[in-house]
Amino acid sequence: KGPLLLEDGVHLVEEERDEDYTRVRRYAMDGLELLLGSDTVVYGRADSSTKIGVHDFEEGTTITEARSLDMWLENTIGGCDECAICYHRDGEVSGYQLLKTEALPSFCGGDSGVALATMARARSILEFVKRNCTDDAATYCLTRGEGATLQLWRVESQRATTPFGRACALLCLRIARRCTDDLERRRRLLDRCVALADAKRDAAVVAEAHLLVARTYSIEDDFVIEKAAWRVASPSSKPCRLDTFDDEEDDDAALKRVSAGLSVLRRAQRRKASSENKALEKNLRVCGAAARLALASRASRRHRPGLVLRHLALAGQLDPATAASAVFRLRLAMAYALCAAVVTADNLAKHRADLNPTSKVKARADDSSDEDQRRRRPVKGPPAKLRGDLPVDVGADVETNLSRAV
């Protein structure tokens, strides 16, 4: 049964289920669609299909005309036929009133036409918004000016140009948390959040935005594709084709976001320690370690054990718990098994260069210019601490590599 809407031009299109709301309904209004979520408590009668919305008040509270209109709107969105107004004193119900939903606008002596006027006003506002909000992926803020005047602001990409930067940043973050199906839209919202939020005042907001962006990339660990025992005992003598590794850019993008989030949190922790920031830092480190492990997997399939060892070492530096896990040790053993299979005295220098790059820039595609390569940062080798804690090295001696694998 649909809600008791007082306007013929507004009708229920469908009802959906959602984890964040008790009920979600999609309405149509003059060519516009509204998606409304409701958490109103709704009871039903055992002997009928009547739905009753429940609203509680402290005994002695004055119910204003505006509050009556709020109850009418909540009941309407919730699809309730009646409304139970419960009065309580010290946590105990002292009395209640039962009213039809359509009687709520006039409950406090108001005019039943107020509801009609409210819907007409809503329609005009939505038409105004539809007519003026025309830029794709832009953020607008609707405010009330003096009297009944409405003001529509377009929020620029930089927080310094708008007084609503923080509010819009938080709004973008909240929407992005729920926008799980459209990854491109989620990234646009989170990028807008980072641009609008103040990293000093809202470090947790900026860091969470970076974390959520990092998680939008497909970070997949290819080590789990084949049985570990087979991969250790018999690594293939032929590397996989390079055109199967398109997701490596996703892993690099995820690492950049993790690095940006950690940088924001480190500056914030120096100013004032926070348990919330520590929890976010832990999640960022775990996400970064996962990206490093994925890169190690792809390097393994390319038969570059030195690169595998470097990514494993950097994953351990990001998240020490990862380096202490049995799964991490298995990956390390598989890397040394690969060393024994493919490293020889002739190509030893090449594989060691993967582990400890001596060049100033990372090897890129042939079509990149020399100027572009000079501007890129040097690639980091494994941290010294992990080189001491773990046997991170590439040797041409097969027996040594097999012993390390064991």
Side-chain angles (χ1 to χ4, degrees):
K1 185 176 182 179
L4 301 175
L5 289 174
L6 300 182
E7 281 281 339
D8 294 335
V10 184
H11 61 277
L12 178 68
V13 177
E14 62 178 324
E15 186 164 346
E16 305 174 0
R17 293 190 176 275
D18 189 90
E19 295 180 356
D20 297 310
Y21 293 100
T22 305
R23 65 197 66 82
V24 173
R25 294 181 163 221
R26 192 183 298 275
Y27 291 89
M29 175 187 283
D30 294 344
L32 298 174
E33 279 201 357
L34 309 177
L35 187 64
L36 303 178
S38 172
D39 287 324
T40 303
V41 178
V42 177
Y43 288 90
R45 295 183 184 275
D47 56 346
S48 71
S49 60
T50 301
K51 293 181 180 179
I52 304 174
V54 178
H55 305 270
D56 63 304
F57 293 91
E58 185 75 31
E59 190 176 51
T61 301
T62 301
I63 302 177
T64 63
E65 185 178 349
R67 187 66 185 93
S68 297
L69 197 60
D70 283 341
M71 290 190 292
W72 168 79
L73 190 57
E74 288 180 26
N75 265 32
T76 297
I77 294 173
C80 301
D81 309 280
E82 298 179 359
C83 172
I85 302 176
C86 298
Y87 302 96
H88 56 87
R89 181 194 307 132
D90 300 327
E92 295 183 358
V93 176
S94 58
Y96 68 91
Q97 288 178 277
L98 197 61
L99 299 169
K100 293 289 186 182
T101 296
E102 58 264 33
L104 283 171
S106 57
F107 174 58
C108 295
D111 186 355
S112 59
V114 172
L116 294 172
T118 300
M119 298 304 290
R121 177 67 168 163
R123 179 181 286 104
S124 66
I125 291 174
L126 286 173
E127 287 294 342
F128 170 73
V129 169
K130 180 182 179 181
R131 189 168 57 253
N132 291 280
C133 298
T134 56
D135 293 341
D136 186 36
T139 302
Y140 295 86
C141 190
L142 187 66
T143 62
R144 184 188 297 276
E146 295 183 2
T149 304
L150 291 178
Q151 296 176 338
L152 185 66
W153 300 75
R154 186 188 186 283
V155 180
E156 300 297 333
S157 58
Q158 300 298 325
R159 58 185 170 83
T161 61
T162 172
F164 308 107
R166 185 172 188 270
C168 289
L170 295 174
L171 179 62
C172 289
L173 181 61
R174 289 176 59 190
I175 297 174
R177 285 171 181 162
R178 297 180 179 180
C179 185
T180 56
D181 296 332
D182 189 346
L183 295 184
E184 289 301 324
R185 185 189 177 206
R186 193 180 199 194
R187 288 171 190 164
R188 286 201 304 269
L189 287 166
L190 292 169
D191 286 339
R192 181 61 59 87
C193 173
V194 171
L196 292 173
D198 186 346
K200 291 184 179 179
R201 180 181 178 185
D202 296 306
V205 172
V206 176
E208 184 181 352
H210 283 302
L211 173 62
L212 292 178
V213 173
R215 287 176 174 172
T216 62
Y217 295 101
S218 76
I219 303 172
E220 297 179 0
D221 189 351
D222 298 326
F223 273 110
V224 300
I225 294 176
E226 298 183 37
K227 292 183 179 179
W230 173 253
R231 291 180 63 88
V232 172
S234 179
S236 170
S237 59
K238 290 179 63 180
C240 296
R241 290 178 58 189
L242 299 186
D243 57 7
T244 62
F245 299 95
D246 296 336
D247 292 333
E248 188 167 349
E249 292 185 1
D250 284 0
D251 301 325
D252 287 335
L255 284 171
K256 289 178 182 178
R257 289 294 186 159
V258 168
S259 177
L262 289 174
S263 177
V264 169
L265 289 178
R266 278 194 293 268
R267 290 194 294 268
Q269 289 291 84
R270 284 198 294 267
R271 291 190 296 270
K272 183 179 180 182
S274 164
S275 58
E276 181 184 9
N277 288 351
K278 287 182 179 179
L280 273 171
E281 181 180 359
K282 180 180 179 180
N283 290 333
L284 280 163
R285 289 186 177 280
V286 169
C287 185
R292 282 289 177 191
L293 294 181
L295 287 168
S297 298
R298 294 184 174 91
S300 177
R301 293 174 63 186
R302 287 173 168 175
H303 282 194
R304 296 178 66 180
L307 199 56
V308 175
L309 292 172
R310 180 159 63 86
H311 285 310
L312 289 177
L314 292 174
Q317 182 189 41
L318 271 172
D319 183 29
T322 296
S325 66
V327 176
F328 182 87
R329 298 283 171 165
L330 176 61
R331 290 183 175 94
L332 197 60
M334 291 160 64
Y336 285 119
L338 184 61
C339 280
V342 302
V343 177
T344 65
D346 294 334
N347 61 21
L348 177 61
K350 172 187 172 183
H351 290 292
R352 278 191 172 154
D354 279 342
L355 176 65
N356 291 300
T358 55
S359 59
K360 292 289 183 179
V361 295
K362 185 178 180 181
R364 307 296 287 189
D366 294 337
D367 57 352
S368 60
S369 66
D370 294 339
E371 181 65 23
D372 289 339
Q373 290 193 2
R374 280 196 296 271
R375 291 177 181 175
R376 293 192 178 102
R377 292 183 177 181
V379 179
K380 295 181 180 178
K385 182 178 184 302
L386 281 174
R387 285 202 301 271
D389 294 346
L390 301 173
V392 180
D393 194 10
V394 176
D397 182 24
V398 174
E399 293 299 326
T400 300
N401 288 325
L402 287 176
S403 297
R404 286 171 175 161
V406 171

